[in-house]
Amino acid sequence: MVGRVVGADRVVRLRRRLRAVVAKYLSASILFGLVAYQGVRILRALGPSPDGFALGWIVAGVGASLGSLGVAAAALLARGSVPGDRRGLGALRLEGAARALVLIAAVGAEFVTVLWAPTGMDRGFVLLVNTVLAGSLAVFALMADGVGRAVSRL
């Protein structure tokens, strides 16, 4: 009869959940990187003058991409730890910092948009689109607790 290690099933379940968190946030990072890339393309197409529409997308995309990478890194750090390990606490702190970065990117994107939004009839459209983008990032930052949720389910 083969003996079972107490808690080994919990560690395996935790590592599986954290692997899913890594995959989810790496794909989110790629998508946010594409948002930043589109902002750069819009900025190039409009010429040398800064535009709030493009700058908001760049700020939001870069910040959210880095924040998503931070959450994925936190999941990898937590994946290498066992319950009660100090690395798990460091992973939770890293995830909190990454979520704060995404929230700061959302506020920064809205600020840049308001500051550099074009005048005239396009202003309302630019403000609306980038406000929806910034609001979505804020919701993403508040809901991005994959590491904490995976660790707390044990």
Side-chain angles (χ1 to χ4, degrees), residues 109-147:
E110 186 63 23
F111 179 75
V112 167
T113 299
V114 170
L115 188 66
W116 292 100
T119 57
M121 62 186 284
D122 291 337
R123 183 172 178 84
F125 174 74
V126 168
L127 290 175
L128 174 70
V129 170
N130 282 1
T131 300
V132 169
L133 178 65
S136 299
L137 284 182
V139 169
F140 176 77
L142 296 174
M143 294 178 64
D145 63 344
V147 176

Side-chain angles (χ1 to χ4, degrees), residues 16-60:
R16 282 184 189 151
R17 287 185 185 129
L18 291 173
R19 189 177 341 148
V21 169
V22 169
K24 182 172 34 173
Y25 286 99
L26 282 179
S27 62
S29 178
I30 291 169
L31 290 175
F32 290 131
L34 290 174
V35 169
Y37 174 71
Q38 278 303 113
V40 170
R41 287 190 58 199
I42 293 169
L43 194 60
R44 282 186 186 167
L46 293 176
S49 65
D51 180 60
F53 191 67
L55 292 176
W57 281 45
I58 293 169
V59 170

